[in-house]
């Protein structure tokens, strides 16, 4: 049973470009969460999605950031017009249901030049 | 919203000693409290968790205690080993998401 998959593992973008991060949850998990981790800091909640629905996006910046979890395919976190402050590790987690264990993917390390 | 505080930020112990990490939370509605271990450059890994209807849970050398009245919970690692060295995060499940503490960097010296 494969764990949570994320790709790419490393992503380098220049300021102003778009970054697209993908997350495939564990088999049987329909709840997906995105977190951001700045260097030497903790994990900050960004958004919680179920298939085709955004449940809670209270941690996501209002501009440039968007997330989706389509009926088919992985969840995608999209950052438009990236700035240096977007450089961080972005982790996806999945859970079989709300309020239960969340299992994390290996993360995508975004570097903005 | 929920706020989770974690102490200490760094902890150094000798191999074989015990380590204790403490967290407090602010929202009494939080009902699930996991602990994650994160090694450098790796993903957070769930090591133990506790729900609000339980006061203590143990798994080999790791135990977690929860005091709902005081709104604090602690991680206890006994007989520490060098491979326990990592950053440990506590979290509280509130509404529909995990709110994490700021982390404790544990170093176990041989």
């Amino acid at each position: 049973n494969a764990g949570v998959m994320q790709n790419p593992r490393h992503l380098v973008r220049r300021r102003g470009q778009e970054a697209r991060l993908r997350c495939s949850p564990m088999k049987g998990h329909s709840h997906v969460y995105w977190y951001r981790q700045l260097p030497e800091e903790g994990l900050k909640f960004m958004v919680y999605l179920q298939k085709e629905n955004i449940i809670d996006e209270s941690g996501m910046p209002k501009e440039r950031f968007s997330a989706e979890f389509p009926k088919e395919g992985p969840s995608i976190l999209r950052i438009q017009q990236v700035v240096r402050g977007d450089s961080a590790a972005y982790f996806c987690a999945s859970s079989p249901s709300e309020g239960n264990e969340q299992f994390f993917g290996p993360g995508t390390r975004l570097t903005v030049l | 919203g929920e706020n989770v505080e974690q102490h200490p930020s760094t902890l150094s112990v000798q191999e074989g000693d015990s380590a204790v990490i403490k967290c407090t939370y602010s929202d009494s509605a939080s009902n699930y409290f996991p602990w994650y271990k994160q090694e450098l450059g790796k993903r957070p890994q769930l090591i133990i968790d506790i729900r609000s209807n339980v006061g203590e849970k143990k798994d080999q050398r790791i135990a977690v205690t929860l005091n709902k009245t005081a709104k604090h919970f602690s991680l206890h690692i006994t007989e520490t080993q060098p491979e326990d060295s990592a950053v440990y995060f506590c979290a509280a499940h509130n509404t529909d998401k995990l709110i994490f503490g700021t982390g404790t960097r544990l170093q176990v010296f041989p």
Side-chain angles (χ1 to χ4, degrees):
Chain A
N1 186 10
V4 180
M5 310 285 281
Q6 286 188 252
N7 68 82
R9 296 289 304 277
H10 300 273
L11 183 61
V12 179
R13 285 287 179 265
R14 295 192 181 279
R15 280 180 297 169
Q17 291 185 318
E18 178 180 291
R20 196 173 288 234
L21 289 59
R22 294 175 188 78
C23 169
S24 296
M26 285 178 70
K27 189 176 180 182
H29 288 194
S30 58
H31 299 244
V32 167
Y33 307 81
W34 285 93
Y35 295 87
R36 177 163 63 177
Q37 186 174 37
L38 294 170
E40 303 295 319
E41 292 191 13
L43 295 121
K44 302 290 186 190
F45 168 80
M46 298 183 72
V47 61
Y48 161 40
L49 311 102
Q50 296 179 27
K51 284 285 186 183
E52 300 185 277
N53 284 303
I54 296 175
I55 308 301
D56 184 342
E57 56 182 349
S58 58
M60 202 152 67
K62 294 286 185 283
E63 296 180 354
R64 302 188 299 108
F65 285 72
S66 62
E68 62 176 8
F69 189 14
K71 189 176 180 182
E72 301 291 338
S75 175
I76 297 190
L77 179 67
R78 186 179 172 212
I79 311 173
Q80 295 178 290
Q81 300 175 323
V82 295
V83 301
R84 289 217 174 104
D86 296 333
S87 295
Y90 291 83
F91 288 96
C92 163
S94 76
S95 173
S97 59
E98 192 177 304
N100 278 308
E101 301 95 325
Q102 293 185 18
F103 297 92
F104 282 79
T108 293
R109 278 147 188 86
L110 172 66
T111 302
V112 180
L113 302 177
Chain B
E2 174 65 282
N3 182 50
V4 177
E5 294 190 357
Q6 182 171 349
H7 300 280
S9 56
T10 60
L11 180 59
S12 297
V13 300
Q14 205 72 34
E15 183 178 1
D17 288 350
S18 295
V20 180
I21 303 170
K22 298 181 179 182
C23 289
T24 60
Y25 61 100
S26 60
D27 191 341
S28 56
S30 293
N31 56 10
Y32 171 65
F33 306 90
W35 286 87
Y36 286 86
K37 175 183 179 182
Q38 187 177 31
E39 296 176 6
L40 188 63
K42 301 284 182 65
R43 75 185 78 191
Q45 289 199 301
L46 179 68
I47 56 171
I48 196 167
D49 56 13
I50 192 167
R51 297 194 179 274
S52 58
N53 58 347
V54 175
E56 184 173 355
K57 184 176 178 181
K58 191 173 181 181
D59 183 3
Q60 299 183 345
R61 296 187 295 109
I62 296 173
V64 58
T65 58
L66 171 65
N67 182 328
K68 281 197 304 181
T69 305
K71 295 206 275 291
H72 65 69
F73 55 114
S74 300
L75 178 71
H76 304 252
I77 307 174
T78 58
E79 300 172 28
T80 54
Q81 300 166 3
E83 50 265 40
D84 293 330
S85 296
V87 179
Y88 290 80
F89 292 98
C90 63
H93 186 271
N94 184 267
T95 312
D96 55 12
K97 56 187 171 283
L98 289 177
I99 306 299
F100 282 85
T102 48
T104 296
R105 184 175 300 278
L106 173 66
Q107 283 188 300
V108 180
F109 292 99

